Amino acid sequence: MSEIGAGDAVTTAAAAVGWRRAGVAGAAIGVIAAGAAAGVAVERLTVGRGMRRRARLALDATGPYGSLRGLPGRATADDGTELYYEVDEVEPDGAADIGPGGGGDAAAPGTRRRRLFGRKAPAPVTVVFSHGYCLSQDSWHFQRAALRGLVRTVHWDQRSHGRSERGRSQAEGVTVGIDQLGRDLKAVIDAAAPEGRLVLVGHSMGGMTMMALADQFPALIRDRVAAVAFVGTSSGKLGEVNFGLPVAGVNAVRRVLPGVLRALGSQAELVERGRRATADLFAGLIKRYSFGSRDVDPAVERFAERLIESTPIDVVAEFYPAFTEHDKSGALPAFRDAPVLILAGDKDLVTPSSHSETIADQLPDAELVIVPDAGHLVMLEHPETVTDRLADLLVRVGAVPAAANVGGHGSTAQQPGD
């Protein structure tokens, strides 16, 4: 669950433990949370809390997802924030340029760089993956596993997320906006892929980040971007999303949520304790707002929980207002000259598939894929479908050979490195 749904889930969890400063607003959100959680209540009545806790610990110990690592690097944003990224290189023999064991911090000894008559070969195509709100670069686990060794990829953590530094401007009280994230992406591109063609892939907030990049740096899109993939994202009007809840309840939440989030963010330590104490409710909300199907691999569910749990409440509070203000429909024409993939889950409650259809209306030559029985984290829930369409896009622009074997990759039945 990314974007607004994550903020709702965290807020409702805090309200559920009765945090007094949230007052009437917290109570209202708590009531809505109860309705949202009703769908998962029955299964939780049949399994004891202690057993559920042990199951989570077992999944944490054995879950393979999010374990892929590449060559680390850091880009510096315009406000001095250090943004963490990793690169998976492609070597002449087709092996990914990674450290020993697939997770080292330096290239393996003896790594060779291709030369052409004593000069460096032309820069390869680089696929840059941008993740969503309350997630990290690891949310692209399946797609990363599928493409390793086939194409050069860059995975980065948005400011205040994952391994990136907390936004320095935000520490000084500056409101974070989608435009800032667009400039952050430009800094990552300048550091990790200063030359060569680019394929931009973004999920949810990551797709919005790409739109902000196009809005501020249209020449970069025109001169270097070979293809684009928008996954579960929106070009605006997120303030109208109802999250599958009754209209009256949604309107109440919209009125009070910004203030409640600010209050919660000011008492982060207390709220984090509340999140841990209400782990079952939190897990139920994540499942509802992340996935559309009933039969999701429990290890994938727990992986999504871990990603979202790792986002501090004050970061949730800082970013939330940016989504209601987001409107980048005017930037979409910058992508018209490049092949575009637009993909969404048909049961996405956070950025409904109608938002993807709106983007497609602006980009009539784009491929629009609505994935049945899929929620907001479609790249984790139905990784084969997302990987297949992304691989097809890469083949179309020559980034991946047509004969490349991407077929079985991205399956939840596989382990990293298979």
Side-chain angles (χ1 to χ4, degrees):
M1 165 191 62
S2 181
E3 263 61 78
I4 302 168
D8 289 346
V10 174
T11 306
T12 53
V17 299
W19 189 51
R20 287 190 296 273
R21 285 191 64 181
V24 176
I29 296 173
V31 170
I32 294 175
V40 298
V42 173
E43 68 182 70
R44 297 186 184 283
L45 288 174
T46 61
V47 182
R49 178 176 297 178
M51 185 175 295
R52 291 196 299 272
R53 185 181 299 112
R54 288 193 295 273
R56 283 195 294 270
L57 291 173
L59 289 171
D60 289 347
T62 61
Y65 308 125
S67 59
L68 299 176
R69 299 270 66 89
L71 294 175
R74 293 190 182 273
T76 303
D78 56 6
D79 67 345
T81 302
E82 289 194 346
L83 306 168
Y84 179 83
Y85 66 83
E86 293 180 358
V87 179
D88 289 350
E89 296 280 8
V90 176
E91 289 303 299
D93 59 1
D97 183 6
I98 53 179
D105 290 347
T111 295
R112 300 185 306 278
R113 301 286 178 180
R114 181 170 8 193
R115 298 278 174 173
L116 182 63
F117 299 109
R119 295 173 297 166
K120 288 179 66 176
V125 175
T126 300
V127 186
V128 182
F129 287 85
S130 299
H131 68 79
Y133 174 51
C134 295
L135 300 172
S136 76
Q137 63 176 270
D138 291 340
S139 62
W140 295 108
H141 174 88
F142 294 111
Q143 292 69 44
R144 186 173 187 172
L147 296 176
R148 282 166 82 89
L150 295 177
V151 65
R152 187 177 193 266
T153 60
V154 171
H155 298 261
W156 68 293
D157 292 328
Q158 302 252 21
R159 64 172 51 220
S160 304
H161 290 70
R163 294 173 174 83
S164 283
E165 184 182 14
R166 184 67 177 274
R168 294 189 183 184
S169 294
Q170 286 65 65
E172 298 172 358
V174 177
T175 302
V176 67
I178 301 299
D179 283 340
Q180 176 65 69
L181 305 185
R183 296 194 297 274
D184 289 352
L185 176 54
K186 175 62 161 55
V188 170
I189 290 172
D190 288 346
E195 299 177 329
R197 295 191 302 158
L198 303 168
V199 175
L200 303 179
V201 183
H203 169 249
S204 205
M205 183 177 76
M208 302 175 203
T209 299
M210 289 157 43
M211 297 175 201
L213 176 75
D215 194 34
Q216 298 171 92
F217 305 98
L220 174 66
I221 307 301
R222 182 185 65 244
D223 298 340
R224 296 189 56 197
V225 172
V228 179
F230 294 112
V231 180
T233 191
S234 172
S235 60
K237 297 186 178 181
L238 284 168
E240 300 176 4
V241 176
N242 65 15
F243 311 112
L245 300 175
V247 174
V250 171
N251 290 337
V253 169
R254 286 177 183 147
R255 287 194 299 271
V256 302
L257 188 55
V260 172
L261 280 173
R262 285 195 297 271
L264 293 173
S266 69
Q267 297 290 331
E269 184 177 350
L270 177 61
V271 175
E272 294 303 333
R273 289 202 299 269
R275 287 170 75 174
R276 291 190 293 272
T278 58
D280 287 341
L281 173 61
F282 190 63
L285 290 171
I286 290 175
K287 182 176 181 179
R288 172 170 170 77
Y289 285 105
S290 296
F291 307 111
S293 56
R294 293 181 178 273
D295 300 323
V296 181
D297 181 352
V300 172
E301 288 185 16
R302 180 55 190 157
F303 177 44
E305 288 177 40
R306 291 202 310 271
L307 288 172
I308 296 168
E309 287 170 352
S310 67
T311 308
I313 183 61
D314 42 354
V315 173
V316 175
E318 284 173 1
F319 276 71
Y320 178 81
F323 303 117
T324 56
E325 299 168 3
H326 167 64
D327 183 358
K328 284 291 181 285
S329 57
L332 292 176
F335 298 108
R336 283 182 177 167
D337 293 333
V340 176
L341 167 66
I342 304 168
L343 186 147
D346 70 339
K347 295 182 180 179
D348 190 335
L349 298 176
V350 179
T351 52
S353 58
S354 59
H355 286 240
S356 289
E357 292 169 353
T358 297
I359 296 173
D361 289 340
Q362 291 270 0
L363 301 171
D365 293 330
E367 177 188 10
L368 175 63
V369 179
I370 306 299
V371 183
D373 210 26
H376 191 55
L377 297 189
V378 59
M379 68 284 191
L380 293 177
E381 185 175 14
H382 295 285
E384 298 96 333
T385 299
V386 176
T387 300
D388 176 75
R389 300 323 307 148
L390 181 57
D392 181 74
L393 179 69
L394 296 176
V395 168
R396 276 193 280 154
V397 298
V400 170
N405 180 19
V406 185
H409 288 283
S411 169
T412 58
Q414 287 189 310
Q415 301 298 309
D418 285 357

